[in-house]
């Protein structure tokens, strides 16, 4: 018996109003606009500066845009999965808070922690609930307030990250050929010492000393991460293409995690894929971690056509990586 595919039926996105430019960063750390652009491709990033606002608030704004597009009531939602590394608090889950703030009283929510690959992990997980027939309306959100864990005295990381949220709705596909076709996901702990946050968990609980040592900010050793990211995304895309008998000509869009423009061009080059098939918005938003892929879909929504072949790919902390083949449904 053929399984019902899960299809993306709508998309919503949100970024804060405050724009942190490269020029402003020059007043904070020893850097300059040309240095940042040439190494990362980033011109600006959005920062959530409103007191008392957190990741869940950005997620709710993205979710509202999604529901407006679909003309859907929050009470129709069955499940909300939030991919994030900047949860509002350790518990309750940010997904649960989103349900409450959005008024999705008939839904339950939970979080997916897989760093920059979180949206792919959550999308694949949500698709299983649709395929199993358990639920019919599953919202997947990627949202991160990276400014809350970024050290703005560290020029190696503060130039990269921004805040934002993106949301998609998964529903049973109305066409057997459209929807989430295939996915490959990977992860191992090899990168635990080169892309991570040292303190705040059960291994190194919060103390005055961990705060003083700035161990609650993200840490990244860029060189090994760069090599692993390129290799991981390229191999995942190639695996998806081989499994589904796809050629470069068959692909309409590569939707990569927006980590660094050099990574994006390297991935495209190794795949012999033209850059005009690669979604890019890192120049305006920076790296928003779990939000980068849905924000790309949101930004490019007017260019997407029913039946387009998309490959979503990501690489994240610790390490996590993978790719997902989507045949666009609307």
């Amino acid at each position: 018996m053929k399984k019902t595919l899960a299809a993306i039926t709508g998309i919503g996105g949100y970024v804060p109003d405050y724009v942190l430019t490269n020029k402003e960063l020059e007043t904070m750390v020893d850097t300059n606009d040309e240095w940042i652009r040439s190494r990362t491709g980033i011109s600006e990033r959005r920062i959530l500066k409103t007191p008392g606002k957190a990741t869940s608030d950005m997620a709710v704004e993205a979710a509202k845009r999604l529901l407006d597009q679909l003309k859907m009531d929050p009470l129709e939602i069955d499940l909300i999965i939030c991919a994030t590394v900047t949860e509002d608090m350790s518990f309750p889950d940010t997904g649960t808070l989103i349900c409450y703030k959005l008024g999705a009283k008939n839904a339950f929510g939970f979080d997916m922690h897989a760093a920059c690959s979180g949206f792919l992990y959550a999308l694949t997980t949500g698709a299983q609930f649709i395929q199993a027939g358990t639920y019919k309306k599953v919202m997947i959100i990627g949202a991160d307030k990276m400014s809350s864990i970024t050290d703005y005295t560290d020029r190696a990381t503060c130039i990269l990250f921004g805040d934002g949220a993106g949301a998609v709705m998964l529903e049973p596909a109305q066409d057997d050929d459209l929807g989430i076709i295939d996915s490959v996901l990977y992860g191992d702990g090899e990168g635990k010492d080169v892309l991570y946050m040292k303190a705040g968990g059960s291994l190194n609980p919060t103390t005055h000393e961990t705060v003083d040592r700035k161990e609650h900010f993200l840490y990244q050793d860029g060189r090994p991460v760069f090599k692993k990211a390129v290799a991981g995304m390229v191999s995942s895309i190639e695996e998806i293409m081989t499994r589904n008998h796809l050629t470069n000509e068959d692909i309409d869009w590569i939707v990569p995690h927006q980590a660094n423009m050099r990574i994006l061009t390297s991935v495209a080059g190794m795949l012999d894929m033209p850059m005009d098939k690669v979604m890019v918005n890192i120049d305006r938003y920076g790296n928003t971690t779990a939000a980068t892929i849905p924000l790309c879909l949101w930004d490019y929504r007017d260019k997407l056509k029913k039946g387009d072949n998309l490959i979503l790919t990501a690489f994240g902390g610790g390490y996590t990586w993978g790719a997902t083949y989507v045949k666009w449904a609307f």
Side-chain angles (χ1 to χ4, degrees):
M1 182 175 176
K2 190 172 182 179
K3 292 187 297 186
T4 299
L5 291 180
I8 295 174
T9 59
I11 178 79
Y14 172 80
V15 290
D17 292 333
Y18 184 83
V19 179
L20 177 59
T21 65
N22 292 346
K23 288 293 184 183
E24 185 173 349
L25 279 173
E26 289 179 11
T27 68
M28 302 163 67
V29 291
D30 181 18
T31 190
N32 61 70
D33 178 62
E34 190 280 329
W35 191 89
I36 297 172
R37 286 176 187 258
S38 65
R39 285 161 177 79
T40 69
I42 301 170
S43 300
E44 58 189 42
R45 65 291 292 148
R46 303 300 186 95
I47 304 297
L48 183 62
K49 298 194 70 147
T50 308
K53 295 296 182 180
T55 295
S56 66
D57 298 293
M58 294 189 296
V60 166
E61 290 301 320
K64 287 179 178 177
R65 286 160 171 77
L66 168 58
L67 293 176
D68 286 346
Q69 182 190 95
L70 294 172
K71 296 180 172 55
M72 184 183 294
D73 191 292
L75 295 177
E76 298 179 54
I77 303 169
D78 298 310
L79 167 63
I80 296 176
I81 306 175
C82 179
T84 186
V85 294
T86 56
E87 63 274 14
D88 287 20
M89 56 192 79
S90 294
F91 61 89
D93 274 15
T94 303
T96 298
L97 297 176
I98 295 167
C99 290
Y100 172 73
K101 292 181 179 182
L102 191 61
K105 295 183 179 180
N106 296 321
F108 74 100
F110 63 86
D111 293 355
M112 182 71 68
H113 283 226
C116 301
S117 305
F119 182 78
L120 289 190
Y121 277 43
L123 190 69
T124 302
T125 300
Q128 306 309 306
F129 285 104
I130 299 291
Q131 289 181 2
T134 309
Y135 301 119
K136 294 187 180 301
K137 298 183 189 301
V138 178
M139 184 181 289
I140 309 298
I141 302 175
D144 271 302
K145 185 182 176 183
M146 294 305 294
S147 61
S148 66
I149 59 170
T150 298
D151 179 1
Y152 285 96
T153 67
D154 175 18
R155 77 168 187 170
T157 55
C158 74
I159 63 174
L160 297 172
F161 293 96
D163 303 337
V168 301
M169 183 65 70
L170 295 182
E171 298 183 78
Q174 299 302 304
D175 187 316
D176 288 343
D177 297 321
L178 303 179
I180 299 173
I181 308 297
D182 196 10
S183 189
V184 294
L185 301 174
Y186 295 99
D188 67 43
E190 179 188 1
K192 66 181 180 62
D193 297 322
V194 296
L195 184 50
Y196 71 112
M197 184 173 5
K198 187 171 184 178
S202 61
L203 178 62
N204 294 301
T206 304
T207 64
H208 284 295
E209 290 74 24
T210 62
V211 173
D212 291 342
R213 291 193 297 265
K214 297 185 176 182
E215 292 177 354
H216 297 268
F217 294 126
L218 67 93
Y219 170 81
Q220 175 174 280
D221 184 350
R223 187 163 296 179
V225 172
F226 181 99
K227 293 178 180 178
K228 288 286 188 178
V230 172
M233 288 197 281
V234 168
S235 63
S236 298
I237 293 171
E238 290 177 336
E239 183 176 356
I240 282 286
M241 292 179 68
T242 299
R243 280 168 41 154
N244 293 277
H245 311 291
L246 298 169
T247 68
N248 282 20
E249 289 69 34
D250 296 321
I251 304 302
D252 296 290
W253 294 102
I254 298 292
V255 190
H257 167 56
Q258 307 287 299
N260 182 309
M261 192 63 191
R262 285 182 172 180
I263 291 177
L264 304 188
T265 55
S266 295
V267 168
M270 292 182 70
L271 294 168
D272 197 25
M273 192 76 67
M275 282 301 295
D276 61 7
K277 286 189 175 185
V278 180
M279 291 189 185
V280 177
N281 63 11
I282 190 173
D283 54 318
R284 292 176 293 121
Y285 302 150
N287 181 348
T288 55
T289 306
T292 66
I293 289 176
L295 279 175
C296 275
L297 295 175
W298 171 251
D299 278 357
Y300 281 76
R301 63 194 182 278
D302 292 336
K303 297 183 179 181
L304 292 169
K305 304 183 299 297
K306 188 174 182 177
D308 277 355
N309 287 316
L310 284 64
I311 297 183
L312 287 51
T313 186
F315 187 92
Y319 298 114
T320 60
W321 69 97
T324 300
Y325 172 28
V326 177
K327 206 165 184 67
W328 202 246
F330 70 98

